[in-house]
Amino acid sequence: MTIISMLPWADWLALVCFLALWTGYAWFARVWGARKGSLIHTTNRYRGYWMRQAAMRDPRMLDGLITQTLSNTPAFFSSTSILVIGGLFALLGTTDKAAELMSEIPFAQTTTLVVFEFKVLVLVGIFVYAFFRFSWCMRQYTFVALVIGAMPPPEDFVSGKFDQRQYAERAAAMVGAAAETFNDGLRAYYFSFAAIAWFFSPLAMVVATGLVAAILYTREFRSEVLKILRDDGSAPP
């Protein structure tokens, strides 16, 4: 008997809604954010400012320190993802006790061990995805450090030997790509909390997924930080 027939239709519907809301919101944030200016797109403006300053600065030790600091956060989340994955695999060895504990929680839906293990594996998949995004973000920041280290001296930009604006825009695009990748991994962490609600009931998972999407929308499009960043007193580059 396959997992397709073992898993109730309500759980399949909740899983489809979960994945649809996750991917749909990611697409919405990318497309709508480019038009209206989300938090990530607004901070890209400051990344452009930073790289134009870095191109005219010598030495560039400060920029190297900033890049190293930025790479520390995805490194932390990457190692944390490995620990979480290890903990979830350890949970698979005691699913009978975990399922029994969940059944004693009020309003929690009783499920078979196979269904419970499948839900744990879904969580494992989420954190594996997060690990790959965070680890790729770390590599991208090493490329950023490489680009900064390869920047010609300021006098070569002033003399016109190299195009300062083009070089700065390329470097800023690299930093923006790393930030976008980090955002994908962090979004996976947010939606993992919605997946945890699946252990209670399919309806709880759908409600939690909608709540997570609403929280992300508020922070990326309606936050006070975004209003402050938008008001930088200058026109976009």
Side-chain angles (χ1 to χ4, degrees):
M1 193 174 184
T2 62
I3 187 65
I4 297 178
S5 58
M6 287 183 177
L7 198 65
W9 66 268
D11 288 288
W12 279 119
L13 183 60
L15 182 59
V16 170
C17 290
F18 171 78
L19 296 175
L21 274 172
W22 184 355
T23 57
Y25 177 80
W27 176 86
F28 168 81
R30 188 180 300 271
V31 175
W32 189 252
R35 296 178 181 177
K36 297 298 181 180
S38 63
L39 188 61
I40 188 70
H41 283 84
T42 302
T43 52
N44 280 340
R45 179 189 304 176
Y46 290 87
R47 294 181 181 97
Y49 296 158
W50 169 27
M51 287 305 159
R52 286 199 293 274
Q53 291 289 330
M56 302 307 297
R57 183 162 39 221
D58 192 27
R60 300 188 177 100
M61 294 179 59
L62 175 62
D63 307 292
L65 289 174
I66 294 174
T67 304
Q68 183 180 4
T69 302
L70 290 173
S71 65
N72 287 339
T73 305
F76 167 78
F77 278 103
S78 181
S79 58
T80 301
S81 299
I82 295 177
L83 294 176
V84 173
I85 292 170
L88 290 173
F89 274 116
L91 178 62
L92 288 174
T94 58
T95 50
D96 50 345
K97 295 182 180 179
E100 182 182 353
L101 177 63
M102 288 297 302
S103 63
E104 296 177 358
I105 299 177
F107 309 109
Q109 177 181 315
T110 303
T111 59
T112 63
L113 288 180
V114 175
V115 174
F116 188 89
E117 290 174 351
F118 178 76
K119 294 178 180 181
V120 174
L121 289 176
V122 170
L123 271 177
V124 171
I126 293 173
F127 284 101
V128 167
Y129 169 79
F131 168 77
F132 277 109
R133 297 310 286 169
F134 286 128
S135 59
W136 177 232
C137 177
M138 291 166 55
R139 286 208 63 191
Q140 286 177 306
Y141 276 121
T142 61
F143 300 149
V144 171
L146 179 64
V147 171
I148 293 176
M151 277 186 179
E155 54 268 20
D156 285 351
F157 289 127
V158 175
S159 65
K161 186 177 179 180
F162 294 94
D163 189 335
Q164 184 261 346
R165 183 177 181 87
Q166 183 182 16
Y167 206 106
E169 287 178 353
R170 185 185 298 114
M174 283 292 303
V175 185
E180 188 72 43
T181 305
F182 175 79
N183 202 32
D184 291 340
L186 193 61
R187 195 176 289 143
Y189 266 67
Y190 275 88
F191 279 99
S192 68
F193 287 97
I196 292 175
W198 196 13
F199 290 95
F200 293 92
S201 71
L203 179 60
M205 182 187 190
V206 174
V207 173
T209 305
L211 182 60
V212 167
I215 293 173
L216 288 173
Y217 174 80
T218 302
R219 294 188 176 183
E220 293 187 38
F221 292 92
R222 292 288 183 269
S223 65
E224 188 67 26
V225 173
L226 179 58
K227 295 178 182 178
I228 296 172
L229 291 172
R230 281 174 175 171
D231 187 19
D232 63 349
S234 63

